[in-house]
Amino acid sequence: MKHMTFVQWAVWLGFIYPVCSCQPRPDLKLWYTRPAERWEETLPLGNGRLGMMPDGGVVQETIVLNDITMWSGSFQDTRNPEALKYLPEIRRLLLEGKNDEAQELMYKHFACGGQGSAFGQGANAPYGAFQLLGNLHLQYHFPDSSDVGYSAYERGLSLDKALAWTCFRKGKVKYRREYFVSQTEDVMIMKLTADRKGMLDFDVAIDRPENYTCYANDGVVYMEGQLDNGKGKAGTKYMVQLKVWTADGRQVADSACIHVKEATTAYVLVSAGTSLWAADYPERVEKLMQIAGNMDYGYLLERHDSAWRYKYNRVELDLGTPQDILPTDQRLARFQEQEDPGLVALYFQYGRYLLISGTRENSFPLNLQGLWANSVQTPWNGDYHLNINLQMNYWPVEIVNLSELHTPLKNLVKDLVTSGEVTAHSFYGAQGWVAHMMTNPWRFTAPGEHASWGATNTGGAWLCEHLWEHYAFTLDQEYLREVYPVLSGASRFFLSSMIEEPTQGWLVTAPSSSPENAFYMPGTRKEVSVCMGPAMDTQIIRELFSNTIQAARLLEIDAAFADSLEKALDKLPPMQISPKGGYLQEWLEDYEEVDPRHRHVSHLFGLYPSNQISLAKTPELAEAARKTLQRRGDGGTGWSMAWKINFWARLQEGDKALELLKNLLKPVVTGGKVDYTGGGTYPNLFCAHPPFQIDGNLGGCAGIAEMLIQSQQGFIEVLPALPAVWKEGSFKGLCVRGGGVVDASWKAGRLEKLTLHSRVKSAFKLKIPEQVKRVEVDRQQHDIQNGFIHLALDEGEQCEIVMKYKL
């Protein structure tokens, strides 16, 4: 085993690398031969705070602008004085099996105070909504008006550069546009060029659907406004600055528009911010514009490129020769009929691209739409859904080597504690903190306004699973000490609020629901959602208690509390297999589902993202999980199919996981028409719920990684769910629990070689394929013990492992 040199470390971490050429890698680009006809065809750019989406129009171009802090609404008092008063009666009815009567009481008395999320229409309610920042409009004037057509059109997005482009020929002139959102200077930038002098004429203006005022000052166009706080008052303030620089030509600015004439090259800069981003946002917006405006474009692009590659270049994936001769929308359609492993690799890297573009360490977490929205009333308020969607956004971050991007989620969870303590006390009379199925920047933690979906009370506990996962991948004890109060507070809530069910004396949540699914009351066709102790709740609580106990033991604190959690673990309901169908039961009783094909498969949380169900340790439960998935079917919304990819990967059925990936990548736009009958993928590779939700993209990215490497069972397994058609390939930079980073290559479906790097001093256990006769570690034969090898590495150490197969 050997230590890496400083230069090797620098290259591995992304500090040092060759300067890129101006051409994007063909296997890492999205490209098209016509302008976008709808927003879901435009190309997303972002730096984790600001975003832009150009449509590539020839004569008229619209670029949708975003700021991740562009939120309406405000803090609200969600307490409901009746909730705690009626809680005993609701629980009594549940204990007596009268779920329908308990549900009626909840509808009347156990919802949040106020409007809640306004049923997903909260833009002008206190709950608020994530909104677009504005629209940048460009009107181009071409000197040769006799030529109304254009040719050689192409627009695209380079993933390895985070740079988009549009180019075409009109008359005798070739035009090119470049767009990026600077990772370093925190502004949005556009470069316009004509290859003949003085042939660039355009007007550029900015607006938004409501709540804005535009004016010009010293050649700069400003847009300012204030969003609705939902209480009849002004809420979040914002400012946008628009400026154009030209190497030649003339420009004039009026109240909302800048007019450019007879230029050859022009640069459009946009700086923006909100009061949710910084109290002194006007000064910051001005300063960012000034700094960027004093830099050469090439230098701006070089700095952006360097910062981008620091994160993006950590992971490489090769699943076969990329078939990139077709534009991306056509390639997407062809994938349904023809294998294209290169498209899968592109989609995987697109997920990483969306993570790096959509969030950053000191910003807000990715919401339902990540960073990108094109409306004031974003679907479902563009908020944070806690019954899977926000969590799915962050499934890939550790395994795809973007661990620091967990920070915004960690900060959000910590911020929820104070509000969650009020909710725990006022709704349940309980200790600790709780969050239900949705939240927003205003720290909403109460039950939703309708019990059928709003009663789920394990949203915060599920978020705590992410806090633990970050520790599991990094072994950072200082971090663990920071988040331990959050883990213990969430555990304290359930320890103080669960009740004993009457049949077995198991500890259960009551009231609750299995997210968005319903069952029929026995002997009737009455649909009910409210219940006690659904399987998902129990699995999440078991995960939470186990992680909290482990954290307390590692930190050598809170021993008595950890002991009390261990005792409670023994009283949680076991997972139950239906005697009728062999599937995993979703509820304490084997109720008949209203929709056996429901998009949520919440009771398989124990399979993924948790590790309570596994082929090795719980084969009977794994088989029940398989039957559950077969019963649910392969359809669903976009994010649902993404979750199923991960399920099948954990069951180590690679061909089935690939089948679900194909379903996820089904085009929803064909022949210019949008099919909203199910999930799939838009031409710009955005996932269709429908409409667009980013969780499907990121869940799909995580699923591809799970097919290639797993470490949740206390050992590393490479290629656990490799589809037969991915016959040979390689990856670099995927991460495993315990602080490891793995590179691997395979041929004819067999793992040949891997390199294991350790970021911390750690011990690793690696599963060896059954057909392997012997293993060489750094060219020395290594003992195989019961199908595993054991490796102890110091911080910064790495080793190369080669498989020698039987003849």
Side-chain angles (χ1 to χ4, degrees):
M1 299 181 186
K2 57 183 178 290
H3 286 273
M4 289 187 284
T5 66
F6 171 78
V7 172
Q8 288 173 320
W9 261 103
V11 171
W12 177 46
L13 291 173
F15 289 117
I16 300 174
Y17 42 78
V19 177
C20 63
S21 68
C22 61
Q23 294 298 320
R25 281 178 51 180
D27 59 331
L28 292 175
K29 73 173 183 179
L30 282 63
W31 69 285
Y32 308 83
T33 56
R34 57 177 178 78
E37 295 179 1
R38 54 184 54 82
W39 179 71
E40 294 87 356
E41 296 179 18
T42 63
L43 295 170
L45 294 157
N47 67 359
R49 185 178 77 85
L50 300 176
M52 63 191 299
M53 296 187 71
D55 66 12
V58 173
V59 177
Q60 294 178 327
E61 181 170 30
T62 298
I63 301 175
V64 179
L65 307 179
N66 291 111
D67 182 316
I68 204 165
T69 62
M70 192 72 168
W71 265 86
S72 62
S74 56
F75 291 100
Q76 57 177 313
D77 185 355
T78 57
R79 290 175 295 179
N80 179 353
E82 292 191 332
L84 191 57
K85 175 182 175 182
Y86 281 90
L87 180 61
E89 178 66 6
I90 292 168
R91 285 176 167 168
R92 182 188 67 79
L93 292 168
L94 289 172
L95 291 169
E96 293 176 359
K98 300 175 181 177
N99 298 57
D100 51 346
E101 295 181 33
Q103 181 166 279
E104 288 302 317
L105 273 186
M106 289 194 70
Y107 286 166
K108 296 176 182 177
H109 305 291
F110 205 87
C112 57
Q115 300 178 55
S117 69
F119 290 93
Q121 301 294 311
N124 297 313
Y127 188 86
F130 175 62
Q131 303 187 6
L132 87 165
L133 176 64
N135 293 303
L136 194 67
H137 302 282
L138 293 108
Q139 177 75 45
Y140 298 96
H141 309 284
F142 297 97
D144 188 357
S145 58
S146 61
D147 181 12
V148 296
Y150 58 90
S151 61
Y153 182 93
E154 182 180 303
R155 66 184 178 93
L157 170 65
S158 170
L159 302 186
D160 60 335
K161 296 174 180 293
L163 178 76
W165 73 90
T166 299
C167 58
F168 56 90
R169 182 174 293 278
K170 192 162 175 52
K172 299 179 180 180
V173 184
K174 184 177 181 180
Y175 294 92
R176 180 176 175 85
R177 307 166 193 161
E178 293 181 350
Y179 326 75
F180 69 96
V181 183
S182 173
Q183 290 282 320
T184 49
E185 272 55 61
D186 204 11
V187 293
M188 296 177 267
I189 303 169
M190 182 177 179
K191 178 184 179 182
L192 311 174
T193 58
D195 72 347
R196 299 185 70 180
K197 184 175 177 60
M199 300 296 282
L200 187 62
D201 288 10
F202 66 94
D203 304 323
V204 56
I206 191 167
D207 66 13
R208 70 187 310 271
E210 63 181 32
N211 297 324
Y212 77 98
T213 300
C214 288
Y215 61 93
N217 183 20
D218 195 22
V220 178
V221 169
Y222 293 74
M223 182 172 73
E224 293 184 277
Q226 200 162 13
L227 306 185
D228 192 336
N229 78 344
K231 301 174 183 176
K233 299 179 181 179
T236 301
K237 301 176 182 179
Y238 70 91
M239 173 188 282
V240 183
Q241 289 189 13
L242 166 66
K243 191 170 185 178
V244 176
W245 280 265
T246 56
D248 54 6
R250 299 174 286 112
Q251 65 169 289
V252 176
D254 58 29
S255 62
C257 187
I258 299 174
H259 310 273
V260 177
K261 302 271 186 192
E262 299 176 356
T264 308
T265 301
Y267 306 94
V268 179
L269 264 69
V270 178
S271 182
T274 77
S275 56
L276 268 180
W277 167 54
D280 60 344
Y281 72 97
E283 291 80 9
R284 292 197 182 196
V285 169
E286 178 76 30
K287 185 175 182 179
L288 290 171
M289 177 66 85
Q290 289 178 353
I291 292 173
N294 288 325
M295 290 184 180
D296 175 76
Y297 176 80
Y299 184 56
L300 281 168
L301 185 57
E302 180 183 348
R303 283 173 53 82
H304 162 75
D305 184 75
S306 176
W308 175 261
R309 287 172 174 263
Y310 167 62
K311 291 178 179 175
Y312 183 83
N313 278 9
R314 296 174 189 171
V315 172
E316 298 178 12
L317 177 60
D318 179 6
L319 294 176
T321 304
Q323 301 178 22
D324 64 317
I325 57 173
L326 290 178
T328 303
D329 51 344
Q330 297 177 37
R331 190 177 178 189
L332 186 67
R334 186 186 61 181
F335 185 52
Q336 297 301 306
E337 306 297 332
Q338 180 177 329
E339 295 296 339
D340 187 355
L343 178 62
V344 175
L346 177 69
Y347 187 76
F348 168 81
Q349 291 288 28
Y350 187 59
R352 295 184 69 249
Y353 170 90
L354 293 175
L355 279 169
I356 305 169
S357 300
T359 189
R360 61 197 306 178
E361 295 89 319
N362 60 352
S363 190
F364 281 18
L366 296 153
N367 60 52
L368 281 174
Q369 299 206 232
L371 168 63
W372 300 278
N374 67 332
S375 60
V376 169
Q377 180 53 71
T378 308
W380 297 284
N381 297 320
D383 70 357
Y384 306 110
H385 278 24
L386 307 184
N387 57 4
I388 186 173
N389 311 95
L390 174 59
Q391 292 89 339
M392 183 179 282
N393 285 351
Y394 285 85
W395 283 352
V397 293
E398 298 295 342
I399 195 170
V400 304
N401 213 330
L402 294 170
S403 184
E404 68 267 49
L405 296 186
H406 242 144
T407 303
L409 185 66
K410 175 201 73 175
N411 292 339
L412 173 69
V413 181
K414 289 175 65 178
D415 284 347
L416 292 179
V417 170
T418 301
S419 170
E421 289 173 341
V422 173
T423 298
H425 178 72
S426 61
F427 281 84
Y428 300 91
Q431 303 170 23
W433 72 277
V434 64
H436 290 75
M437 67 73 55
M438 62 190 178
T439 193
N440 57 15
W442 316 113
R443 305 181 183 96
F444 189 98
T445 57
E449 57 268 30
H450 199 276
S452 64
W453 48 265
T456 302
N457 61 12
T458 46
W462 190 339
L463 289 173
C464 287
E465 189 259 347
H466 279 265
L467 300 184
W468 175 259
E469 280 292 280
H470 181 72
Y471 170 76
F473 275 86
T474 64
L475 302 186
D476 183 345
Q477 286 217 0
E478 183 178 346
Y479 158 84
L480 187 61
R481 194 173 297 277
E482 176 191 355
V483 300
Y484 177 77
V486 184
L487 298 175
S488 63
S491 295
R492 205 174 298 277
F493 167 76
F494 291 104
L495 196 62
S496 63
S497 66
M498 289 190 295
I499 64 172
E500 289 189 4
E501 56 82 37
T503 305
Q504 304 289 340
W506 292 327
L507 285 177
V508 295
T509 52
S512 190
S513 64
S514 190
E516 301 181 36
N517 203 1
F519 57 89
Y520 292 113
M521 284 291 293
T524 75
R525 305 308 286 173
K526 186 178 292 186
E527 298 181 14
V528 178
S529 298
V530 170
C531 64
M532 58 183 181
M536 186 193 77
D537 279 13
T538 301
Q539 292 168 359
I540 290 175
I541 293 166
R542 182 174 287 112
E543 175 87 13
L544 173 66
F545 283 8
S546 299
N547 294 341
T548 305
I549 292 166
Q550 196 170 348
R553 304 300 191 216
L554 286 166
L555 297 172
E556 297 181 342
I557 58 175
D558 237 356
F561 182 61
D563 290 344
S564 66
L565 293 180
E566 285 189 332
K567 292 177 182 178
L569 274 176
D570 292 337
K571 296 189 67 176
L572 294 179
M575 285 179 271
Q576 301 179 81
I577 299 174
S578 167
K580 295 185 299 186
Y583 50 81
L584 201 69
Q585 285 186 198
E586 189 164 357
W587 296 277
L588 280 178
E589 296 185 35
D590 196 8
Y591 296 121
E592 178 187 356
E593 305 107 310
V594 171
D595 181 9
R597 301 258 170 179
H598 198 273
R599 61 193 177 278
H600 281 266
V601 199
S602 305
H603 47 312
L604 294 193
F605 171 91
L607 176 62
Y608 185 94
S610 186
N611 184 43
Q612 298 168 45
I613 302 172
S614 70
L615 289 168
K617 295 180 180 179
T618 62
E620 291 184 356
L621 290 176
E623 179 59 26
R626 179 182 286 105
K627 290 182 178 179
T628 300
L629 289 170
Q630 292 169 342
R631 193 164 184 263
R632 275 294 202 261
D634 296 341
T637 56
W639 62 261
S640 177
M641 289 186 285
W643 199 358
K644 292 171 185 176
I645 296 169
N646 287 274
F647 288 145
W648 286 112
R650 284 283 173 93
L651 292 173
Q652 300 193 356
E653 297 194 23
D655 289 338
K656 187 65 178 181
L658 179 58
E659 182 182 337
L660 266 296
L661 180 60
K662 281 190 172 183
N663 289 354
L664 178 64
L665 288 171
K666 180 192 71 174
V668 297
V669 178
T670 54
K673 296 182 180 179
V674 183
D675 177 8
Y676 282 118
T677 58
T681 296
Y682 292 108
N684 66 356
L685 299 190
F686 269 179
C687 180
H689 177 283
F692 163 59
Q693 282 186 194
I694 202 171
D695 42 24
N697 287 99
L698 302 178
C701 176
I704 294 167
E706 285 288 324
M707 295 162 76
L708 298 172
I709 193 165
Q710 295 179 18
S711 62
Q712 73 281 357
Q713 299 186 75
F715 56 84
I716 302 168
E717 186 169 8
V718 182
L719 309 183
L722 188 73
V725 295
W726 297 356
K727 297 183 184 302
E728 60 182 69
S730 64
F731 64 77
K732 294 182 179 180
L734 294 182
C735 296
V736 294
R737 293 162 182 84
V741 184
V742 176
D743 306 338
S745 60
W746 65 93
K747 288 184 179 179
R750 300 199 309 186
L751 177 65
E752 286 202 328
K753 182 175 67 175
L754 65 90
T755 302
L756 175 62
H757 317 260
S758 187
R759 288 173 166 163
V760 296
K761 184 176 182 179
S762 189
F764 299 94
K765 183 179 177 182
L766 175 67
K767 186 175 182 180
I768 303 301
E770 290 182 2
Q771 302 85 357
V772 170
K773 180 173 66 174
R774 62 187 176 89
V775 172
E776 292 182 358
V777 178
D778 290 339
R779 301 185 180 181
Q780 299 294 320
Q781 186 166 331
H782 198 93
D783 290 339
I784 303 175
Q785 300 175 6
N786 299 318
F788 295 91
I789 64 171
H790 298 262
L791 302 164
L793 277 68
D794 288 331
E795 179 180 350
E797 197 174 5
Q798 69 176 25
C799 62
E800 183 180 81
I801 304 156
V802 178
M803 308 294 163
K804 300 294 183 178
Y805 285 85
K806 303 172 185 176
L807 295 178

